[in-house]
Amino acid sequence: MSVVKSALSDADLKTVGDALKGALVDLVDLGLVAKQVHWNVVGPRFRSVHLQLDEVVDTARQHSDMVAERASAIGVAPDGRAATVAARSAIGSVPEGWIKDVDVVRTMIDSLGSVIGHMRERIEATAEPDPVSQDILIQLTADLEKHAWMFQAENA
């Protein structure tokens, strides 16, 4: 049941809805992963990595809200529940306990790379059916790519 009527055709709504729901799941999990490693990072680069992780969390949270609200606006119910995120996220698991700063950087490079890859697929999928949603996905991907670049520079 949808309480919001979309201007998109049913087929386009399915394509765009799937893209937005997938983006939401990945963004929620990215924020959780970044916060988890933020709490557990140790090593000589602790402070700089710790602060950089907060920036990723802020980006993920801001964009997840934008994606969820776009989904709602076109009549797609967003789903950021823990069970949904755990079942559908493209991000791998994070080890328990303290994590050396170099391993945190590698975790973030891998996590961001996975999410960015899926976001680029979603950008392509939404180009024709809904350029408005595509624009949101383009902007959030640009922000994620900036974070990926910064973590890669940490690893050079």
Side-chain angles (χ1 to χ4, degrees):
M1 172 184 96
S2 178
V3 296
V4 177
K5 179 66 180 144
S6 175
L8 301 175
S9 71
D10 288 344
D12 288 350
L13 187 60
K14 168 114 176 70
T15 298
V16 176
D18 287 349
L20 292 172
K21 288 193 274 186
L24 178 60
V25 163
D26 285 349
L27 288 167
V28 169
D29 200 22
L30 181 64
L32 293 171
V33 165
K35 206 54 162 165
Q36 179 65 28
V37 296
H38 166 91
W39 294 322
N40 289 289
V41 63
V42 293
R45 295 183 298 171
F46 164 82
R47 182 165 173 72
S48 65
V49 172
H50 186 80
L51 294 173
Q52 195 173 2
L53 290 164
D54 272 338
E55 294 173 6
V56 173
V57 171
D58 290 345
T59 296
R61 288 179 178 167
Q62 289 170 353
H63 284 296
S64 65
D65 194 49
M66 187 181 311
V67 165
E69 289 178 356
R70 177 63 186 160
S72 293
I74 63 170
V76 174
D79 187 355
R81 296 173 299 161
T84 302
V85 172
R88 298 185 184 153
S89 176
I91 301 173
S93 64
V94 175
E96 184 179 334
W98 305 116
I99 308 170
K100 295 194 105 357
D101 52 7
V102 295
D103 296 328
V104 167
V105 169
R106 172 56 45 209
T107 295
M108 292 310 299
I109 290 169
D110 293 345
S111 297
L112 285 160
S114 178
V115 172
I116 289 165
H118 285 98
M119 290 301 177
R120 287 190 160 275
E121 292 170 5
R122 294 174 183 126
I123 289 168
E124 286 184 37
T126 56
E128 182 65 32
D130 187 21
V132 176
S133 294
Q134 183 197 39
D135 187 53
I136 291 168
L137 296 171
I138 289 169
Q139 183 55 56
L140 79 89
T141 302
D143 289 348
L144 295 177
E145 287 178 344
K146 182 176 179 183
H147 289 300
W149 158 55
M150 291 185 175
F151 277 109
Q152 289 173 42
E154 284 272 348
N155 213 29

